[in-house]
Amino acid sequence: MTTPTLLPGNRFRAYRGDGATPTNWAFLCLGTSVTLTLTNAFEDATVPDCDEPLKIPVRKSVLSSTSWGGRIAGQVDATRLAKLRADAESQTPVLYQFRVDQSAANGGGAWTGTVFVENLEIAKTNNGIVGFTCQFRGDGALAWADAAA
């Protein structure tokens, strides 16, 4: 029996682009939970069988659009909070990258795209460490690039 090679959580990471050319990527060091959601929207039609009109029609779906988004959560320090706050206040999308840190043969690569921050939540409990949750929506295409061999 072949067993899968599991991907440790520290091998799926989020990075923030700095807007320079070429892009310098900053690891969201304290983002301990990263979620990336890819969504397809469809238009449906009920299609009859023209050769057998008494047959029950079937649904046919046509992809009408794609979208993506997600959330990053974890602990925050003041320096990184300032960048997250700037992203939340930005009226232009910010470049982010989501890396699967493996070789191409093992499914590695990265999604890259621009995001708008929908909400940024900062919280603490019982005088503990300050945490954050950043909900974002993708703006435009999300590109995948395979890792180096």
Side-chain angles (χ1 to χ4, degrees), residues 20-135:
T21 303
T23 302
N24 298 303
W25 296 103
F27 172 49
L28 291 182
C29 183
L30 301 173
T32 56
S33 173
V34 178
T35 303
L36 183 61
T37 304
L38 311 175
T39 304
N40 293 325
F42 296 90
E43 292 181 8
D44 293 334
T46 303
V47 180
D49 184 334
C50 295
D51 294 330
E52 295 184 47
L54 295 179
K55 228 178 175 181
I56 301 295
V58 296
R59 178 181 68 198
K60 293 292 287 179
S61 298
V62 177
L63 182 63
S64 61
S65 69
T66 62
S67 63
W68 61 282
R71 77 186 234 323
I72 302 167
Q75 290 78 44
V76 69
D77 67 15
T79 304
R80 288 172 179 88
L81 176 59
K83 291 186 185 215
L84 290 171
R85 193 179 65 246
D87 291 352
E89 294 170 355
S90 179
Q91 294 184 23
T92 58
V94 180
L95 191 61
Y96 271 77
Q97 188 175 76
F98 304 91
R99 295 183 192 171
V100 177
D101 186 10
Q102 294 288 320
S103 67
N106 289 325
W111 286 280
T112 303
T114 55
V115 304
F116 281 108
V117 172
E118 291 185 300
N119 61 59
L120 176 61
E121 179 180 285
I122 308 299
K124 78 164 187 75
T125 57
N126 196 25
N127 291 318
I129 296 171
V130 174
F132 77 96
T133 300
C134 176
Q135 182 77 30

